[in-house]
Amino acid sequence: MKEEKQLLAPGHRMCAGCGVALSARLCLEAAGEKTIVVVPTGCMEVTTSQYPETAWRVPFIHVAFENAAAAASGVDAALKMMGKREGVNIVAMGGDGGTFDIGLQALSGMFERGHRVTYVCNDNEAYMNTGIQRSSATPYAAWTTTSPPGKKSIGEFREKKPIGYIAAAHGIPYVATATIAYFADYQKKVKKALSADGPAFIHVLTPCPVGWRFPPDRTVEVSRLAVQTGVFPLWEVRDGDIENLRITVKPPERKPVEEYLAVQGRFSHLFKPEKQQDVIDRIQKMVDEKCERYGI
Amino acid sequence: MAKMILEGNQALAVGAKLCRPKVIASYPITPSTHIPEMLSEFVANGELDADFINVESEHSAISACIGAQATGVRTFTATASQGLALMHEILYVASGMRLPIVMGVANRSLSAPINIWCDHSDTMAERDSGWMQFYSENNQEALDLVIQAYRIAEDERVLLPAMVTIDAYTLTHTFEPVDVPSQKEVDEFLPPYKPVYAILDPERPITQGSFGTPEYFMEFKYSQQKAMERAKEVIDEVFREFEEKFGRKYGKIEPYRTEGADVILVTLGSMSGTGKEVVDQLREEGAKVGLIKVTVFRPFPAEELREAVRRAKVVAVIDRDISLGFSGAVFANVSASLINEEKRPLLANFIVGLGGRDVRPEDFREIVDKSFRILEAGRVEKPVEWINVSGEVP
């Protein structure tokens, strides 16, 4: 990554090893400085826009938690009416809470209306800004403060919401998944998304050292393992044509999912005090089934 | 200037159109639905050069307006009741970000029970949201107040959003003759929108909607309060200029036959018309009674009000809303405005017309009778009294 003139300037207050910070930098590097950023309430917002400072070297607006897509719709409409729409990118960057859950309605509205906005969901698989509560993006068996494992619980008991499919079902021009370890793939997708004639959605897996319980120097490694194990396949879909979903990064040989689980403290209850092989096997089976569909 | 027969919703829509908003985002809700319908028609037939965003909720309507206004254009939205309540959270954001958005509101009750008829509970619930509030007595006022609201809201000394309200059905669906100014006249009165600070431009990147720590938060709120205070002066200026140009006079309050009045009624919105009628009748009968219509509720015109009731012996505040557990919202504000006066009138509150119950001439007569009894007794036994209500639901 280039060190000179990062559009998200160093000195922001994001945690060491934050996947979202890396994602935002990569995204902006690909989008360039003619980009207006719309951000809902969340980690990224509170850590980058603390008055009277700002980490943003591009125009930035935050309105509230559940409405980034609606606010971005307004930005799109205004630029059109000002005759300034051409050559300007609008990128909304929300977390999984603001996208999968509380912001889903506004997001669906923005997709359906066809606003030319690239919506990037930086998914760290729980409400990290409030301190690691589960969201509908939290994966099966993960610990969070509101999906604690216990005598009657293995942690989160539901599967992750298929947000990419939900986006694609709107028939929007471009939907993709990405993660920070595969930055060339991610940045290529950002460029494709921005050149789409309408809404685009990129679901970016952004590991969170604090919430996933791994050392901050292992963010990229965890991100890579998510792809190599098949937990988070990288794909793209055009015009909602899910039948022709294209895998963009194919791991040469899928690693066992246990490798991905074992490096994260949020799954530690699957390994100690005694190993819960049945749960690990169940997760492996879920991943196998998914990967079979994708041919990976 | 042309005379048109318009219902209240249409008057608001025509008024908004004359102000040339560039982005309109609105979600239909009874009884304000005709406003977005008419505006989308104006856009569809080329009469209004604007982008109409068919949002999926009122929450997104106001959010899209914020996005657009923060980018640098004039915006408009309209709603009522539950729609306004759904916007609640974002209303504070709009005012906190100092975006001069103008919104039309059809005053309708809040659920439950669900009810689509008039009272002022919806806008009164937003009185602390940092929006200026203008209440219309009739459709002419609705049109005029929208145009003036933009001028006031966009004034550099103010930069606050504003809502212009019309009573459900009594105004929204009632046709009245309205003087509609020409586009040229309105253009002369309201110049094109020039954003002062709020603009999203890659050539000049700024951050809007910052995170405000305890070190700074109070200063932001203090600034909003100061802007509200300055707005009082700006409102007077704009009202004066409007009168010079269009010949119709507005005031933050409108005293009606208050000279020598022992009893003064305080009203908002369309019931003011009925109230004035009754005042005329009673004056003829020799009763010393007058009325004050509050047009601007935020900022609250405490100074004018104090002056206007100075010689009255009883002030009867008629609220078409109820802050459950205490009194009507208008009463609380009128009372607070007078509290430090050495000599002040007795104050009584009457709750009327909730959920579309008619506010009838006989209700006004009852209120006036009760007020004169207070005057004779020299004290208020029941500070908050409900009019035309049969009792608790069995």
Side-chain angles (χ1 to χ4, degrees):
Chain A
M1 232 180 271
K2 276 177 257 156
E3 278 310 318
E4 79 275 7
K5 196 158 183 202
Q6 286 291 334
L7 295 173
L8 178 65
H12 57 69
R13 294 167 171 82
M14 284 193 252
C15 308
C18 173
V20 175
L22 287 168
S23 170
R25 283 176 65 184
L26 288 166
C27 175
L28 280 179
E29 194 179 73
E33 58 185 9
K34 299 259 188 249
T35 301
I36 294 171
V37 173
V38 185
V39 168
T41 312
C43 282
M44 183 154 67
E45 169 263 328
V46 299
T47 52
T48 58
S49 69
Q50 189 170 316
Y51 181 85
E53 295 162 2
T54 181
W56 299 92
R57 290 195 174 116
V58 289
F60 168 97
I61 182 169
H62 155 256
V63 181
F65 189 13
E66 66 283 65
N67 61 356
S73 302
V75 174
D76 175 49
L79 285 179
K80 260 197 315 204
M81 292 312 298
M82 293 164 89
K84 291 182 171 174
R85 188 65 192 84
E86 286 320 302
V88 177
N89 303 313
I90 304 170
V91 175
M93 293 186 202
D96 45 304
T99 307
F100 284 61
D101 292 339
I102 202 167
L104 187 62
Q105 174 185 316
L107 183 64
S108 175
M110 186 197 88
F111 286 159
E112 172 270 320
R113 291 188 300 268
H115 294 282
R116 191 143 64 81
V117 173
T118 291
Y119 192 106
V120 175
C121 174
N122 290 315
D123 176 11
N124 50 26
E125 303 196 315
Y127 293 96
M128 297 314 183
N129 191 38
T130 43
I132 326 165
Q133 292 78 36
R134 70 78 69 176
S135 75
S136 65
T138 301
Y140 182 74
W143 162 89
T144 70
T145 58
T146 53
S147 64
K151 247 189 258 171
K152 295 180 173 180
S153 164
I154 54 144
E156 174 56 41
F157 63 91
R158 288 148 288 217
E159 283 186 60
K160 191 178 175 78
K161 188 192 272 188
I163 193 71
Y165 282 20
I166 292 168
H170 289 77
I172 60 172
Y174 188 75
V175 176
T177 62
T179 189
I180 48 170
Y182 297 86
F183 59 86
D185 175 72
Y186 176 23
Q187 292 192 315
K188 216 187 288 174
K189 285 169 174 169
V190 170
K191 286 184 175 153
K192 284 182 188 173
L194 291 170
S195 65
D197 185 24
F201 181 76
I202 307 179
H203 175 200
V204 188
L205 188 73
T206 50
C208 169
V210 178
W212 296 13
R213 301 286 194 243
F214 62 80
D217 59 351
R218 299 186 76 178
T219 306
V220 176
E221 186 189 334
V222 172
S223 159
R224 191 178 299 119
L225 273 172
V227 177
Q228 289 176 337
T229 53
V231 167
F232 195 81
L234 301 179
W235 51 260
E236 62 184 6
V237 165
R238 288 199 178 271
D239 303 317
D241 184 10
I242 208 84
E243 302 293 312
N244 289 307
L245 175 148
R246 194 176 81 82
I247 294 292
T248 56
V249 175
K250 199 169 171 176
E253 197 181 333
R254 264 200 295 130
K255 293 186 173 169
V257 82
E258 194 175 325
E259 278 188 37
Y260 176 67
L261 304 175
V263 293
Q264 302 174 55
R266 63 174 171 161
F267 295 110
S268 62
H269 56 288
L270 304 183
F271 298 92
K272 57 186 183 206
E274 60 256 14
K275 197 169 177 187
Q276 299 193 50
Q277 194 59 50
D278 56 328
V279 180
I280 297 169
D281 290 347
R282 205 173 309 145
I283 297 171
Q284 183 65 61
K285 194 161 163 269
M286 286 174 189
V287 170
D288 289 346
E289 280 169 10
K290 186 165 61 184
C291 289
E292 215 165 288
R293 283 205 303 279
Y294 294 147
I296 48 178
Chain B
M1 189 94 74
K3 198 65 112 184
M4 288 173 81
I5 307 294
L6 299 174
E7 56 162 41
N9 280 330
Q10 294 173 331
L12 266 186
V14 169
K17 175 200 162 211
L18 286 166
C19 298
R20 300 182 188 269
K22 286 291 173 202
V23 171
I24 299 160
S26 185
Y27 190 78
I29 180 168
T30 303
S32 63
T33 303
H34 293 174
I35 303 171
E37 277 183 355
M38 196 178 199
L39 287 166
S40 61
E41 237 175 86
F42 287 144
V43 173
N45 65 22
E47 279 181 77
L48 174 62
D49 183 29
D51 194 277
F52 187 97
I53 311 179
N54 286 104
V55 280
E56 80 297 332
S57 71
E58 291 88 352
H59 195 281
S60 282
I62 187 65
S63 303
C65 283
I66 288 179
Q69 191 92 35
T71 305
V73 299
R74 186 175 285 155
T75 65
F76 184 77
T77 185
T79 191
S81 178
Q82 308 300 123
L84 187 66
L86 186 59
M87 289 183 181
H88 173 76
E89 171 201 29
I90 309 304
L91 296 179
Y92 283 72
V93 180
S95 61
M97 290 175 74
R98 306 296 295 272
L99 297 170
I101 298 164
V102 173
M103 159 159 63
V105 182
N107 276 123
R108 169 187 147 185
S109 66
L110 288 168
S111 287
I114 189 162
N115 169 291
I116 56 170
W117 294 275
C118 178
D119 66 38
H120 298 153
S121 314
D122 53 359
T123 46
M124 283 302 160
E126 306 306 340
R127 65 186 182 273
D128 300 339
S129 65
W131 284 59
M132 295 182 285
Q133 292 193 336
F134 300 85
Y135 288 79
S136 318
E137 181 186 335
N138 52 47
N139 298 350
Q140 182 70 61
E141 289 196 358
L143 182 139
D144 291 347
L145 285 170
V146 168
I147 298 167
Q148 296 175 88
Y150 273 111
R151 261 291 296 275
I152 297 158
E154 292 172 7
D155 191 290
E156 201 168 337
R157 292 164 290 174
V158 179
L159 294 177
L160 291 171
M163 50 182 89
V164 176
T165 81
I166 49 176
D167 283 347
Y169 297 103
T170 322
L171 297 183
T172 58
H173 288 62
T174 303
F175 286 87
E176 292 179 337
V178 175
D179 276 327
V180 179
S182 71
Q183 185 65 64
K184 185 170 167 288
E185 287 171 307
V186 176
D187 287 348
E188 284 161 7
F189 181 76
L190 179 71
Y193 176 61
K194 274 202 205 80
V196 182
Y197 305 107
I199 189 155
L200 291 172
D201 180 3
E203 301 298 324
R204 196 162 58 95
I206 60 159
T207 287
Q208 295 189 59
S210 293
F211 181 53
T213 52
E215 220 179 334
Y216 297 101
F217 186 86
M218 266 183 92
E219 281 68 23
F220 278 96
K221 293 301 128 184
Y222 184 72
S223 305
Q224 282 174 259
Q225 174 73 0
K226 295 310 272 184
M228 275 283 183
E229 284 165 19
R230 283 194 299 273
K232 291 179 179 180
E233 227 171 276
V234 176
I235 290 169
D236 287 339
E237 278 175 36
V238 172
F239 280 179
R240 259 199 308 277
E241 204 184 310
F242 188 87
E243 187 190 355
E244 278 162 28
K245 184 150 185 71
F246 299 97
R248 287 185 293 276
K249 184 181 170 65
Y250 286 85
K252 295 201 279 288
I253 60 168
E254 182 196 312
Y256 183 78
R257 303 191 73 170
T258 50
E259 325 76 44
D262 288 332
V263 169
I264 292 181
L265 311 174
V266 177
T267 59
L268 259 74
S270 67
M271 67 168 154
S272 309
T274 314
K276 288 175 185 173
E277 187 79 25
V278 173
V279 164
D280 284 345
Q281 291 165 9
L282 290 169
R283 279 284 187 173
E284 210 139 295
E285 293 165 21
K288 288 182 181 169
V289 59
L291 179 147
I292 292 170
K293 176 180 80 178
V294 177
T295 299
V296 182
F297 186 72
R298 281 291 179 272
F300 192 72
E303 300 80 3
E304 284 87 348
L305 205 112
R306 270 199 291 275
E307 189 53 38
V309 303
R310 201 211 291 258
R311 288 185 180 79
K313 300 196 170 80
V314 176
V315 170
V317 181
I318 309 179
D319 264 286
R320 211 169 177 175
D321 66 90
I322 175 71
S323 168
L324 294 165
F326 191 51
S327 71
V330 186
F331 178 70
N333 282 256
V334 171
S335 304
S337 303
L338 295 169
I339 195 68
N340 285 326
E341 296 302 285
E342 234 170 79
K343 193 177 151 293
R344 60 172 183 265
L346 294 166
L347 288 154
N349 191 198
F350 297 94
I351 307 299
V352 301
L354 302 185
R357 183 150 302 177
D358 282 336
V359 186
R360 307 161 303 178
E362 54 261 48
D363 299 328
F364 276 99
R365 278 183 174 267
E366 188 185 337
I367 290 166
V368 172
D369 281 349
K370 288 190 153 124
S371 301
F372 275 109
R373 279 208 291 277
I374 288 170
L375 172 58
E376 279 160 31
R379 54 194 284 263
V380 184
E381 267 177 35
K382 211 173 161 192
V384 183
E385 196 161 338
W386 292 53
I387 299 297
N388 190 19
V389 65
S390 53
E392 287 189 52
V393 179

